[in-house]
Amino acid sequence: MTTSGLLLGVDIGGTKCAVSLAEPDGTIIGRHEEPTEEGIRSPGQTLAALATAGKGLLNAAGAGARPAGIGVSCGGPLDADSGIIMAPPNLPSWTAVPVKRLLEEAFDAPVVVERDANAAALAEFRLGAGRGCRQLIYVTMGTGIGAGIIVDGKLLRGVSGMAGELGHTTILPDGPLCRCGKRGCLEALASGPAIARLAVDRLAYGRGRLLLQRAGGVAAAITAQHVIEAARSDDAFSQDVLSEAGHYMGIGLANAIQALNPERIILGTIAVHAQELILDPIRASVFAHAWARAATGCEIVPAGLGDRAQDMAAIALVMAPL
């Protein structure tokens, strides 16, 4: 989109928001993060705070208040053309929020708004584990699950911008309730909150003591990160929890592989932190549920951008075309 000038990236998540300042090549030179406070602050208040933080980063860099471009990454559904966010499951109060217009008014600069998974797919394609690929699927695996699909080097958005909502495909028709209102969605079975729920549901008969200790002895405080940490310490209980989540994720990915036949699937967030503890059961499940020819032709790897992925996702939206 732009060939010179500093770029701002805004990542809007259900738990936290971040603003990053980057050079034209994507090198991040400044960053600010704060809690989203969904249901406490209004979307307008959150965007105003992010705009203030972005202007602070620009001023600290001696660049003034106007960036060359602003990329915004947020969970869907959203309308990328108009830049309106439409009440994502993780941000239910963000109903028809005109993010593009509000930020363009705040900065007098062009703004691109995109689903977080699409933005991350673009970032991995350009700068991370997707370099050299023409057909890939990037899958977020954090508070929510979504996918960004690249076909012949271009994002696949679908007729209404809904392509890639892998987290809300049905894996278990009578499974746990998802935040979207459906039952048995992949997101309700393999996301961060789902992993925590699986662990809590299985705490019985003295199992999971190490995991419970890591959560301060409070079962309700258990998070996916606690499960990963305990699994790394050879806790069989936590390893079993990750294996179950990986099994469900593998079913979802097998369905995507059958439909799209990609050369690479890139998994973010939880897969980056857990590595083979969850990648191995995911791969095993994929091979159990997808045709061998499609599965063997598809690498399943962790995101190459690691913990920078969400920041780079927003920045990649306004980098110069390849």
Side-chain angles (χ1 to χ4, degrees):
M1 178 176 179
T2 182
T3 57
S4 64
L6 297 179
L7 310 173
L8 273 181
V10 179
D11 174 55
I12 302 172
T15 304
K16 62 179 177 61
C17 295
V19 183
S20 300
L21 182 65
E23 299 281 3
D25 65 357
T27 301
I28 293 177
I29 57 175
R31 187 177 187 277
H32 169 84
E33 180 180 311
E34 59 185 74
T36 305
E37 297 186 319
E38 163 64 18
I40 300 174
R41 291 193 299 186
S42 72
Q45 290 172 323
T46 299
L47 289 171
L50 294 173
T52 298
K55 289 176 182 178
L57 292 175
L58 286 159
N59 288 331
R66 190 178 187 276
I70 303 168
V72 180
S73 170
C74 181
L78 57 79
D79 185 322
D81 292 332
S82 65
I84 295 175
I85 294 176
M86 301 176 179
N90 296 329
L91 291 166
S93 72
W94 289 60
T95 303
V97 179
V99 172
K100 176 181 171 69
R101 176 176 64 79
L102 292 173
L103 290 180
E104 284 181 342
E105 290 174 353
F107 286 94
D108 187 28
V111 174
V112 176
V113 180
E114 187 58 84
R115 283 177 57 245
D116 52 3
N118 280 354
L122 188 61
E124 287 289 338
F125 171 69
R126 300 187 64 165
L127 303 165
R131 284 178 292 185
C133 284
R134 300 301 293 172
Q135 323 280 342
L136 67 82
I137 303 174
Y138 171 85
V139 182
T140 63
M141 195 177 177
T143 303
I145 291 176
I149 302 165
I150 290 183
V151 177
D152 292 331
K154 297 180 180 179
L155 276 173
L156 177 68
R157 290 186 174 89
V159 68
S160 58
M162 298 290 288
E165 289 290 356
L166 185 65
H168 300 289
T169 55
T170 303
I171 304 300
L172 286 178
D174 298 318
L177 185 66
C178 182
R179 279 178 287 189
C180 76
K182 291 170 51 184
R183 285 195 173 274
C185 291
L186 180 59
E187 186 169 300
L189 295 163
S191 65
I195 289 171
R197 178 189 55 77
L198 283 171
V200 172
D201 288 350
R202 284 153 182 73
L203 282 174
Y205 309 110
R207 297 193 70 206
R209 288 179 182 173
L210 177 60
L211 174 59
L212 197 55
Q213 288 173 4
R214 290 184 177 274
V218 181
I222 290 173
T223 65
Q225 187 58 38
H226 291 136
V227 177
I228 292 168
E229 290 170 358
R232 283 179 181 157
S233 298
D234 295 325
D235 178 48
F237 174 86
S238 298
Q239 290 172 353
D240 287 346
V241 170
L242 290 180
S243 290
E244 182 169 350
H247 167 73
Y248 292 128
M249 176 59 78
I251 294 174
L253 296 185
N255 291 338
I257 288 170
Q258 290 294 103
L260 296 167
N261 193 203
E263 59 186 297
R264 193 170 297 164
I265 290 179
I266 301 166
L267 298 176
T269 318
I270 289 171
V272 172
H273 292 283
Q275 293 287 320
E276 304 308 312
L277 289 167
I278 200 161
L279 288 170
D280 282 347
I282 287 173
R283 292 174 182 134
S285 182
V286 164
F287 274 90
H289 295 97
W291 284 356
R293 184 175 180 184
T296 53
C298 178
E299 294 180 281
I300 299 175
V301 301
L305 297 175
D307 290 334
R308 299 182 299 143
Q310 290 172 309
D311 296 332
M312 294 307 305
I315 294 295
L317 294 172
V318 284
M319 289 176 63
L322 292 171

